[in-house]
């Protein structure tokens, strides 16, 4: 870091991601001079702890950002669209977790392990977007493969934890699980169907092309981050009854031939990746092992024997940490180190 202390705000501080951002600022020793915690009017009166001090939660308004250097936003798309421009106008750089700004051509979309240089584009609108959680973990693993062999096509199926929907969904899985075990009728609130002991091939809304918005986020964000609109990508995103940790089955076709041993070595050396792959010992990435970690776990690494230049990977990460809070703070670290 440059050594300069910064005035930081977290918008959406009371949420699942916001809470992890506060913990991440602490654990990564981010150079915080002051910390402002913002949420909706519902949370005014609450306090949250940072480095042993209680900080009162304030209401997020257009005037919240005077004197703030960096604002980490995780308050949802509506508040981001409404308030990020006010923050930028006040001279604050916003790193936003919602999908509101991701495809804006003047807003960089950054996975630090894949395209850290894109952070420089923050000067456009004063906003940097954090990609979708499923996109982030996939690209931590695929960026080195793309750099070395060129990605031609990706086929991905996800197994996404309920924490990706926020704290209400975490409660819904708990309550429904208990209800099913008690032979009572589970109540559905967050999802259109029961999530306990079930899988829903439905994340975010359905679009006219038959895909969900989550699936198209994986397609469009991947192309933007890798700067290559020619990569073929198709996704099926599925919500599963897991609290934390998204898993992904990823089939990749490369432009250049590869040796499996070289791919393993490439992944072992890749920043942010931990290879967890010893099938003989029943060792492979699992959501329960990724939880509470910043690394993206990659295993079940094997050649796709059905076609040339293709392989399969199983990629797992903590969606609240690397999929959201950690990636946001890593972007803020690059800003602090190089640009502010
Ligand atoms: P969450 O647990 O439901 O928390 C939402 C947060 O936003 C709370 O702090 C809430 O404040 C605040 N908020 C809601 N409406 C607001 C408003 N009108 N004005 C000010 N604050 C408002 O949700 P989450 O999981 O943390 O997700 C937050 C954002 O991060 C979403 O955009 C989500 O898509 C994105 N994201 C989430 C994940 C994930 O894996 N969870 C991953 C990547 C990105 P109150 O407590 O006062 O209501």
């Amino acid at each position: 870091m440059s050594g300069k202390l910064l005035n930081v705000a977290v918008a959406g501080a009371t949420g699942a991601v916001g809470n992890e951002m506060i913990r991440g600022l602490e654990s990564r020793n981010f150079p915080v001079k002051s910390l402002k915690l913002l949420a909706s009017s519902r949370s005014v009166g609450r306090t949250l702890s940072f480095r042993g001090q209680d900080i009162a939660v304030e209401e997020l308004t257009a005037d919240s950002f005077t004197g703030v250097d960096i604002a980490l936003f995780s308050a949802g798309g509506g508040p981001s669209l409404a308030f990020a421009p006010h923050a930028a106008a006040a001279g604050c750089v916003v790193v936003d977790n919602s999908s509101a700004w991701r495809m804006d051509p003047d807003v960089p979309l950054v996975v630090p392990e894949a395209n850290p240089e894109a952070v420089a584009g923050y000067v456009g609108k004063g906003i940097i977007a954090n990609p979708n959680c499923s996109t982030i973990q996939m690209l931590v693993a695929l960026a080195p493969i793309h750099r070395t062999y060129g990605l031609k096509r990706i086929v991905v199926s996800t197994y996404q934890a309920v924490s990706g929907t926020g704290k209400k969904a975490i409660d819904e899985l708990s309550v429904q699980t208990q209800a099913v075990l008690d032979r009572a009728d589970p109540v559905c609130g967050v999802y259109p169907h029961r999530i306990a002991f079930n899988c829903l091939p439905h994340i975010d809304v359905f679009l006219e092309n038959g895909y969900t918005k989550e699936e198209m986020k994986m397609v469009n964000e991947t192309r933007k981050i890798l700067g290559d609109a020619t990569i073929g990508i198709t996704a099926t995103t599925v919500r599963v009854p897991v609290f934390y940790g998204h898993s992904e089955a990823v089939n990749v076709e490369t432009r250049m031939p590869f040796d499996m041993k070289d791919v393993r070595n490439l992944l072992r050396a890749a920043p942010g990746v931990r290879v967890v792959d010893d099938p003989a010992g029943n060792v492979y990435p699992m959501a329960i092992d990724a939880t509470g970690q910043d690394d993206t776990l990659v295993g079940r690494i094997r050649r796709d024997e059905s076609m040339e230049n293709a392989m399969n990977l199983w990629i797992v990460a903590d969606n609240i940490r690397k999929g959201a809070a950690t990636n946001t703070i890593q972007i803020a670290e690059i800003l602090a180190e190089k640009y502010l």
Side-chain angles (χ1 to χ4, degrees), residues 12 14-17 39-40 42-43 74-76 79 97-98 163-164 166-167 319-320 323-324:
T14 52
V17 175
S40 77
R42 294 178 290 273
S43 295
S74 68
N97 252 284
S98 76
S163 53
K167 58 191 176 193
N319 53 297
I320 304 285

Side-chain angles (χ1 to χ4, degrees), residues 98-276:
S98 76
S99 58
W101 301 97
R102 289 179 190 152
M103 296 314 294
D104 186 317
D106 296 325
V107 171
L109 183 64
V110 179
V111 177
E113 292 83 351
N115 63 338
E117 68 291 342
V119 168
Y122 81 92
V123 290
K125 281 205 161 123
I127 301 170
I128 299 174
N130 203 53
N132 176 264
C133 40
S134 309
T135 308
I136 292 175
Q137 69 182 68
M138 183 169 82
L139 290 195
V140 170
L142 296 194
I145 296 172
H146 181 54
R147 276 192 289 268
T148 311
Y149 305 106
L151 292 174
K152 185 171 176 195
R153 182 165 187 254
I154 304 167
V155 182
V156 53
S157 300
T158 69
Y159 305 68
Q160 297 182 220
V162 295
S163 53
T165 319
K167 58 191 176 193
K168 283 191 187 140
I170 299 171
D171 293 342
E172 181 149 310
L173 176 58
S174 299
V175 171
Q176 284 186 357
T177 302
Q178 195 57 55
V180 174
L181 292 173
D182 291 344
R183 296 176 194 277
D185 274 342
V187 178
C188 297
V190 176
Y191 301 115
H193 304 281
R194 195 180 100 192
I195 185 63
F197 306 99
N198 199 12
C199 297
L200 308 178
H202 175 186
I203 299 184
D204 210 329
V205 294
F206 283 101
L207 303 173
E208 270 183 10
N209 65 358
Y211 285 80
T212 62
K213 204 169 162 194
E214 183 84 350
E215 289 160 354
M216 293 315 296
K217 284 179 203 165
M218 293 195 79
V219 173
N220 296 324
E221 294 178 19
T222 296
R223 290 179 175 152
K224 179 170 177 177
I225 295 161
L226 296 180
D228 185 344
T230 68
I231 301 171
I233 309 168
T234 187
T236 302
T237 57
V238 181
R239 189 72 67 193
V240 297
V242 166
F243 284 105
Y244 296 98
H246 289 355
S247 304
E248 298 175 343
V250 182
N251 178 270
V252 176
E253 186 186 356
T254 59
R255 295 185 195 278
M256 312 268 287
F258 56 81
D259 180 285
M260 276 322 301
K261 214 167 80 195
D262 295 340
V263 170
R264 277 168 196 285
N265 288 335
L266 191 65
L267 288 169
R268 279 200 192 98
V273 170
R274 181 145 53 91
V275 172
V276 178

